[in-house]
Amino acid sequence: MSRASLLVFIHGAQMDRRSMLALTPMLPNQHAVICPDLAGHGQRRHEHEHLAKLNPRELAADLLRQLPIQSLAATLPVHLVGHSLGALVALELQQFLHEGGSGAASLVLGDPPLFINLDTPSQHAAAAGMASDEVGQRLARDTFFEFTANNPAAGLHSPYLQRLQQVSQQLPTHVLHGLQPQHQRQDGSVDCGTFLSERSLSLLTSLKLNAHVHPISDAGHFVFHTVVGYTKLSSCLWLQ
């Protein structure tokens, strides 16, 4: 990025802004950063009942009501970076900006759950983690796991894949996905691995998407928080 830009970092489900704030010390100071909590998360843990559904489109619309992203996008380049659920929110946020006559300058998606397939270990783990939590239950119902029969998000008819196909025609789009089924981080905690199964990854790469797909060799689900992942993120944002 050759001039001042706004970076919008959007965290994943049942996390908060701190998971993305960890990336900001490594970014150039001349670029402004917005790193919000999604409704129902972090400091907004109890702010979610005003949303009819806790899904990516409602969460994106809520961010636009909370933050001046729309007006800022009309005056300087805005780069959207989303992880997991945040990647789906970033897709919807870009669509709102596009419909409003502006749009982001680029989009970087970290391990987006484009395909909801309960047969993968990572999504079994995610579903179990959501079951005992009020916000998790809403996310499971409205975004992830309501498709128990005739799952429309398991393959080519996934609404999230279709949104990616649409949005990637509008701006440079990068998809980062981890290759490890489980990944232990430096703090000793372990993530649930990538949400892309071998089958869904093969399907994604076989499509003629107007998006760049980047495998991240040293990551599971948290693709931005490893050496390879951060380097690729920086490259996608033209920061190197």
Side-chain angles (χ1 to χ4, degrees):
M1 291 179 283
S2 59
R3 61 191 180 97
S5 302
L6 174 66
L7 309 181
V8 181
F9 288 93
I10 309 174
H11 65 81
Q14 297 187 294
M15 291 180 275
D16 59 46
R17 69 192 187 285
R18 291 174 297 178
S19 67
M20 302 298 276
L21 277 173
L23 303 174
T24 59
M26 296 174 279
L27 300 174
N29 293 330
Q30 68 265 32
H31 302 298
V33 175
I34 292 180
C35 198
D37 282 326
L38 293 173
H41 296 75
Q43 292 184 332
R44 303 185 62 206
R45 170 70 181 172
H46 302 291
E47 297 178 31
H48 62 89
E49 294 295 342
H50 64 292
L51 299 182
K53 286 194 172 185
L54 213 57
N55 62 25
R57 191 153 181 88
E58 291 273 356
L59 289 166
D62 181 68
L63 282 184
L64 286 178
R65 290 190 293 267
Q66 297 285 330
L67 302 167
I69 298 173
Q70 185 90 52
S71 58
L72 289 170
T75 61
L76 78 167
V78 172
H79 301 265
L80 305 178
V81 181
H83 171 243
S84 194
L85 169 66
L88 302 180
V89 175
L91 284 170
E92 295 296 341
L93 189 56
Q94 161 56 21
Q95 187 59 24
F96 277 125
L97 294 175
H98 180 72
E99 292 168 359
S102 56
S106 72
L107 184 64
V108 185
L109 310 176
D111 226 16
L114 300 170
F115 307 97
I116 308 302
N117 181 356
L118 290 179
D119 291 331
T120 61
S122 60
Q123 290 177 348
H124 275 298
M130 291 180 175
S132 61
D133 175 81
E134 178 188 5
V135 172
Q137 290 171 4
R138 289 198 69 192
L139 287 169
R141 181 182 67 245
D142 298 338
T143 296
F144 296 121
F145 304 116
E146 66 176 336
F147 307 124
T148 55
N150 192 28
N151 183 354
L156 283 173
H157 297 295
S158 165
Y160 304 133
L161 176 61
Q162 292 173 0
R163 180 63 86 197
L164 173 62
Q165 290 175 307
Q166 181 181 20
V167 167
S168 66
Q169 300 295 322
Q170 301 167 4
L171 77 170
T173 302
H174 299 267
V175 179
L176 281 64
H177 65 88
L179 294 180
Q180 297 183 8
Q182 192 176 65
H183 179 69
Q184 185 167 352
R185 298 190 293 276
Q186 290 182 344
D187 62 5
S189 58
V190 177
D191 68 43
C192 59
T194 179
F195 279 140
L196 283 175
S197 66
E198 287 188 20
R199 178 181 174 277
S200 59
L201 177 57
S202 297
L203 180 60
L204 182 63
T205 54
S206 70
L207 298 174
K208 293 183 178 179
L209 291 173
N210 191 30
H212 305 280
V213 181
H214 307 283
I216 305 301
S217 60
D218 61 345
H221 186 50
F222 289 95
V223 293
F224 296 137
H225 294 81
T226 68
V227 173
V228 174
Y230 178 75
T231 301
K232 180 54 66 176
L233 171 62
S234 298
S235 176
C236 293
L237 292 172
W238 308 305
L239 294 177
Q240 292 187 346

